[in-house]
Amino acid sequence: MTDQVKIMILSGVREQGKDMFAVQVNDEIFVLDAGLKYPDSTLFGIDLVIPDLDFFEQYGDQVVGIFLTHGHADSIGALPYILRKYDIPVFGSQLTIELAKITVKRENKRCKNSLFHVIDAETEIDFKNANISFFPTTHSIPDSLGIDVHTPAGEVVYTGDFKFDPSAAPKYRTDLDRLAEIGQKKVLALLSDSSNAEASLPNVAEQEIGDYVTNVFRNAQGRVIVAAKASNLIRIQEVLNAAYKTGRHVLLTGRDLAKIVRTAMNLGYLNVPKGLLMRVKDLKETPDEKTVILETGQMGEPLNSLQKMAKKRHSMITIHKGDLVFIATTPSHAVETIVAQTSDMVYRAGGTVIQLGKAKHTSGHATGRDLQLLIDIIKPHFLIPVIGEYRLLEIHKDLAIRAGLKKEDIFITKNGDCLSYDFNQKRLYLTDPVPGDDTMIDGSGIGDVGNIVLRDREVLSDDGIFIAVVTIDRRKKKIIAQPQVTSRGFVYIKANQQLMRDSIELIKKTINNNFEHKKFDWTEIKQDVRNDLEKFLYRKTNRRPVVLPVVMEVNQNRHRAMQKRNSKNDAPKKEIHHPVDVNKTGQRIIKKDK
């Protein structure tokens, strides 16, 4: 049988976050990362966005495992929703697996611990058709790993989020020797991080960042309120070190932070000097110049919490004169406006703001020079830029061409693309697509909010809603009571009484016209009211609210209710038996060799 090798772009290109890719070798599929992204302002009411779960519906029986590169939400955030329905083994480093368990059990407390497997950079896993190995990478969280899938066509290497920093601590350091060893093999394709491809300046060494944070704390006259992402453990460690060196005590706030810090401490990934942490009740007794408040906010996003502090709506902390707010993470382009708004609120409350990202060029992702260096080391035949918006993928492509790769050997893909390898022509080519749409998470709903619902929400946010209620007697073909109209987010009713009166007259005219010239139909009469009102309101206001007609009928409902009540009284009572449904699940066996 001829071998088959495919590279599937399930999610994570032409966008920031939501990383998920897959390599298929014959009848086995290896999924690389399973992340989420937080919605932008166009996704009204959406809590989270994850990759298309239809992929697992179609290919779930072929998926032999999900392999994680690190413990950030863009790598592990979709796991709760995948494992809710599919028992798929998950592989990752010790810290990554512990953070994945925290993430999964927040949404799915019944998830089996037996699905999680801890591996390290020395682990090799042999499957029927491929071999999976790992290599250490530098990122803002320890125990980050890249993944090497050994296929009959060569190595498929996925970096995950990475950068190069020779001064990084041992638990954060990239293994260049291991990369060189992979480069000596035939590397078929490199799936490489593009998030920071447009950066022309090198990333500042983390050692220098640590010294800068210490100086900020030392020069602060009052409290220091640090805003950082909970999973950015390298920054958390630098904050703890700076507080210790300057004689300050640290209060941890935020549900995510407490769990992550506790887990990292237990595993030895965070060093917290004895007596450094304080409790909420110690806050009043600790002088401002000895206090550091480490705030991460819900789901690792601290900006909302800072705004609440500035507005005096936070449950524990209120920003006052003399406070220094230190934003210790580099915000993405999508939240720069929110950062500016938050800073303005802090200054109004009497505090000051320092942003690490403005003072130092720091990122957890590879610069353009780093990407070119990786290409020189790995020497891939094909490059697939991933993890980044479209412009970043194109910049990555240009960098690769300057590093010596041919233009035709670089693939700018979109979510849902599937690349298949032709063993005869030694080429990758696009084949039938795989599911690559977004799955929206809204409250407890998974995927039940689609484009139509989002469009309605957008219209509601723009022009509001206009509701018309009318009661009719279809037998007598007349309106029983004066129609009632109201609106929300459209116009101020008291100042637009004439518009409301004209709308009522239009509703009467439309319904009477329907009675006279059409055969009665519920759908048609509502549509007539909607169409006429939409045209009228736009002509009067130049706005297009959502028009919701409610047409009710007298007599008929009472007659039907009496018939239903009488039939219930006459019917004999029956004993109800509830069937018992027993589900049986199989167990997947994985051969694991070191």
Side-chain angles (χ1 to χ4, degrees):
M1 184 184 73
T2 304
D3 287 319
Q4 184 183 53
V5 175
K6 292 181 179 180
I7 299 172
M8 302 173 176
I9 310 300
L10 305 178
S11 185
V13 296
R14 308 191 185 202
E15 61 184 346
Q16 200 66 49
K18 197 161 66 70
D19 306 332
M20 191 164 80
F21 313 93
V23 179
Q24 179 177 355
V25 185
N26 299 331
D27 61 346
E28 292 181 319
I29 295 177
F30 309 89
V31 175
L32 314 177
D33 278 341
L36 60 76
K37 71 175 180 180
Y38 297 108
D40 58 28
S41 58
T42 63
L43 298 178
F44 300 92
I46 300 299
D47 298 323
L48 305 169
V49 185
I50 63 174
D52 197 336
L53 296 183
D54 284 347
F55 173 80
F56 295 95
E57 193 70 34
Q58 295 182 28
Y59 299 95
D61 58 339
Q62 294 178 262
V63 176
V64 297
I66 299 173
F67 302 85
L68 306 175
T69 57
H70 64 287
H72 285 164
D74 58 359
S75 174
I76 66 175
L79 284 176
Y81 310 99
I82 296 170
L83 299 184
R84 182 179 293 183
K85 191 172 180 182
Y86 308 96
D87 286 346
I88 300 174
V90 179
F91 300 85
S93 65
Q94 187 177 28
L95 178 61
T96 301
I97 288 297
E98 290 303 316
L99 296 180
K101 288 180 180 178
I102 291 173
T103 301
V104 169
K105 291 186 177 179
R106 188 184 303 147
E107 303 291 337
N108 181 10
K109 299 189 185 309
R110 296 182 180 180
C111 184
K112 304 171 186 174
N113 279 328
S114 59
L115 292 176
F116 297 93
H117 303 271
V118 174
I119 52 89
D120 57 31
E122 304 301 320
T123 302
E124 289 189 9
I125 310 174
D126 289 325
F127 293 90
K128 182 175 66 175
N129 298 300
N131 172 283
I132 308 292
S133 58
F134 308 87
F135 54 92
T137 57
T138 302
H139 191 42
S140 58
I141 188 170
D143 257 10
S144 295
L145 297 171
I147 301 170
D148 178 15
V149 183
H150 175 72
T151 77
E155 313 299 308
V156 177
V157 178
Y158 170 53
T159 65
D161 294 350
F162 87 102
K163 66 176 180 177
F164 289 130
D165 182 0
S167 68
K171 291 178 181 178
Y172 293 86
R173 192 169 298 165
T174 301
D175 189 342
L176 294 176
D177 291 338
R178 173 77 175 116
L179 286 176
E181 180 186 324
I182 294 172
Q184 296 301 313
K185 305 175 185 178
K186 176 190 174 184
V187 178
L188 174 67
L190 171 64
L191 283 71
S192 182
D193 178 10
S194 308
S195 298
N196 198 31
E198 62 187 344
S200 55
L201 297 175
N203 286 318
V204 174
E206 287 299 336
Q207 201 170 28
E208 184 178 336
I209 297 293
D211 294 339
Y212 175 76
V213 176
T214 301
N215 287 332
V216 168
F217 282 24
R218 185 173 285 122
N219 294 327
Q221 301 299 312
R223 298 187 303 181
V224 178
I225 301 173
V226 180
K229 290 183 179 179
S231 56
N232 191 345
L233 287 181
I234 195 168
R235 200 70 70 239
I236 301 296
Q237 183 66 72
E238 289 162 354
V239 168
L240 296 175
N241 292 344
Y244 181 71
K245 290 176 183 177
T246 56
R248 293 174 179 264
H249 297 279
V250 179
L251 173 67
L252 303 179
T253 66
R255 181 185 64 175
D256 283 4
L257 181 62
K259 286 185 178 180
I260 291 172
V261 167
R262 194 181 308 118
T263 300
M265 287 173 59
N266 292 339
L267 296 176
Y269 292 104
L270 269 182
N271 177 30
V272 184
K274 188 176 181 180
L276 181 67
L277 301 181
M278 63 176 175
R279 296 166 294 183
V280 176
K281 66 179 183 180
D282 301 325
L283 192 59
K284 291 183 179 179
E285 301 172 1
T286 306
D288 285 359
E289 64 273 13
K290 297 292 183 182
T291 299
V292 173
I293 299 167
L294 186 50
E295 173 63 56
T296 63
Q298 188 176 12
M299 290 189 291
E301 179 51 67
L303 297 178
N304 290 337
S305 294
L306 288 181
Q307 292 182 4
K308 289 179 181 178
M309 292 179 189
K311 294 177 179 178
K312 300 182 179 180
R313 295 178 182 173
H314 194 274
S315 59
M316 293 186 294
I317 313 297
T318 298
I319 293 175
H320 55 66
K321 190 172 182 179
D323 285 347
L324 170 65
V325 172
F326 182 56
I327 300 177
T329 54
T330 304
S332 64
H333 296 296
V335 297
E336 284 181 347
T337 301
I338 301 175
V339 172
Q341 293 171 347
T342 304
S343 299
D344 191 69
M345 293 178 187
V346 171
Y347 277 101
R348 287 174 182 270
T352 56
V353 178
I354 293 179
Q355 293 184 45
L356 175 62
K358 287 189 174 181
K360 300 289 180 180
H361 185 272
T362 176
S363 172
H365 303 271
T367 63
R369 289 290 180 88
D370 290 343
L371 297 176
Q372 290 178 318
L373 175 59
L374 180 66
I375 290 170
D376 287 339
I377 296 173
I378 292 288
K379 301 177 179 64
H381 195 98
F382 300 104
L383 172 69
I384 306 172
V386 295
I387 311 176
E389 295 161 348
Y390 184 80
R391 75 181 187 285
L392 299 172
L393 305 182
E394 285 286 355
I395 292 171
H396 194 168
K397 177 182 178 178
D398 293 339
L399 291 166
I401 292 171
R402 277 182 262 162
L405 285 183
K406 297 177 183 177
K407 183 178 180 180
E408 59 269 22
D409 292 337
I410 304 169
F411 292 86
I412 303 297
T413 57
K414 62 181 182 296
N415 292 338
D417 279 352
C418 182
L419 298 166
S420 184
Y421 183 67
D422 187 321
F423 281 83
N424 294 323
Q425 297 185 17
K426 311 295 183 186
R427 297 292 303 167
L428 280 175
Y429 63 93
L430 278 173
T431 184
D432 294 338
V434 293
D437 292 333
D438 289 342
T439 299
M440 312 288 183
I441 308 296
D442 186 0
S444 60
I446 302 174
D448 57 349
V449 176
N451 291 331
I452 294 175
V453 175
L454 287 175
R455 189 174 66 240
D456 286 346
R457 291 181 178 182
E458 183 178 5
V459 173
L460 286 169
S461 71
D462 287 340
D463 293 324
I465 186 172
F466 188 92
I467 303 171
V469 182
V470 59
T471 304
I472 65 170
D473 186 332
R474 65 169 169 171
R475 297 194 178 202
K476 296 180 181 179
K477 291 189 175 183
K478 69 175 185 177
I479 298 172
I480 298 301
Q482 180 82 342
Q484 300 293 316
V485 293
T486 187
S487 75
R488 290 292 183 272
F490 172 51
V491 293
Y492 183 48
I493 294 176
K494 288 185 178 180
N496 290 272
Q497 291 293 335
Q498 187 59 47
L499 179 68
M500 296 298 162
R501 286 192 290 269
D502 292 345
S503 298
I504 290 171
E505 293 304 315
L506 177 67
I507 295 167
K508 290 179 183 179
K509 182 179 178 182
T510 300
I511 291 178
N512 288 329
N513 184 64
N514 185 282
F515 283 153
E516 291 176 12
H517 299 99
K518 296 182 181 180
K519 185 178 179 180
F520 184 86
D521 180 87
W522 282 109
T523 303
E524 193 165 352
I525 198 170
K526 289 180 182 179
Q527 190 62 46
D528 286 349
V529 172
R530 182 183 294 110
N531 290 341
D532 288 355
L533 276 175
E534 284 176 349
K535 293 174 185 177
F536 170 76
L537 295 174
Y538 181 74
R539 190 169 65 250
K540 291 292 186 179
T541 65
N542 266 358
R543 301 177 196 171
R544 298 186 187 276
V546 174
V547 175
L548 181 62
V550 180
V551 181
M552 300 181 295
E553 183 180 8
V554 295
N555 296 330
Q556 284 294 108
N557 290 338
R558 186 193 305 174
H559 179 64
R560 288 172 186 164
M562 289 179 65
Q563 281 185 329
K564 190 174 181 181
R565 195 181 309 121
N566 292 336
S567 64
K568 281 185 178 179
N569 293 335
D570 296 339
K573 294 184 178 180
K574 296 181 180 179
E575 186 177 354
I576 299 174
H577 298 277
H578 296 281
V580 178
D581 184 22
V582 179
N583 292 324
K584 294 182 180 179
T585 58
Q587 183 176 4
R588 197 186 303 273
I589 299 174
I590 302 297
K591 180 183 176 185
K592 179 178 178 183
D593 297 324
K594 282 199 175 186

